Amino acid sequence: MMNHCSSPAELFIQRWGEPLREALFRTGDGFEIRVLKWVEGDGDDELTFYRTSGVCDIPVPGADISHRQEFFLGCDPECDEIAESVAQLGLYSARSGKALSAQNIYRADGPLWPGTELSGFVITHPFDGELKSATLADGRHVEFLMLVPAFSAELDFASRHGIGALVTAQDNAGVEFWDPYRKPTSLLPPQ
């Protein structure tokens, strides 16, 4: 589906209206990543979403030149402190030369924000109903990938057993993965 938008931010504004907040991260090496915030849903189904715009200006290593990516996460309660870590993940491919994709894990250089033990992200395909991809006016095909904040032990678990096993173990343990202020939980490996 061709879109007449020149950027993901423009697409997001068409779809969800003006963001509640925007953080802009400029790097010394010429990159600019915006992290935009919206609240969607009502009551118990309300989530705060943080979506990148600008990652699609960075070619994905090893992919067709028109294939690009953007990232998002949904959380409850809101957690504006996470925006910088989301932007840093967006710069990972440009700085490392390695592509990120669904079913990957990303380890930050430290906590996702001061005072948390969350130290990375699990990268996955969006849930049903979420924006999965779009083609921008210039022909770039943008894939949207979902981020789930994770503790170091959860990232280790996913490395050993796979992301599917992590999701199952979290579900069995009653982990509310969307809660950025959750506490670490012991997870049982697959049988």
Side-chain angles (χ1 to χ4, degrees):
M1 158 177 116
M2 182 61 97
N3 190 292
H4 299 294
C5 296
S6 60
S7 72
E10 196 177 313
L11 174 67
F12 301 155
I13 291 168
Q14 279 185 3
R15 188 167 176 153
W16 294 293
E18 290 295 323
L20 296 173
R21 190 169 183 182
E22 178 179 337
L24 177 62
F25 300 92
R26 288 189 177 117
T27 66
D29 47 358
F31 296 108
E32 186 174 289
I33 306 292
R34 296 164 66 189
V35 179
L36 301 103
K37 172 185 174 181
W38 286 269
V39 175
E40 299 171 32
D42 296 308
D44 289 342
D45 292 329
E46 183 178 278
L47 286 176
T48 301
F49 283 86
Y50 299 89
R51 301 176 190 280
T52 64
S53 182
V55 176
C56 67
D57 294 333
I58 303 167
V60 177
D64 181 278
I65 191 67
S66 67
H67 177 77
R68 304 301 173 96
Q69 296 175 320
E70 293 289 350
F71 300 94
F72 74 94
L73 66 90
C75 58
D76 181 31
E78 68 183 8
C79 180
D80 292 350
E81 299 89 351
I82 207 166
E84 184 173 359
S85 290
V86 172
Q88 289 300 321
L89 175 134
L91 295 169
Y92 174 80
S93 291
R95 293 185 170 162
S96 71
K98 298 175 186 169
L100 290 171
S101 62
Q103 305 304 310
N104 282 166
I105 61 170
Y106 166 83
R107 292 180 191 271
D109 291 336
L112 295 182
W113 68 88
T116 186
E117 293 179 39
L118 292 163
S119 60
F121 295 104
V122 172
I123 303 166
T124 186
H125 291 290
F127 291 136
D128 288 340
E130 284 298 323
L131 188 61
K132 294 180 182 347
S133 67
T135 302
L136 300 179
D138 63 7
R140 290 179 292 168
H141 177 266
V142 181
E143 171 187 35
F144 299 99
L145 294 170
M146 188 171 85
L147 306 175
V148 178
F151 295 102
S152 182
E154 292 171 329
L155 299 172
D156 293 343
F157 187 100
S159 291
R160 282 192 305 274
H161 305 291
I163 290 175
L166 173 64
V167 171
T168 299
Q170 286 178 322
D171 190 46
N172 290 342
V175 171
E176 296 178 338
F177 66 86
W178 57 87
D179 182 354
Y181 301 104
R182 65 189 172 91
K183 301 296 180 205
T185 304
S186 295
L187 301 175
L188 298 174
Q191 302 297 320

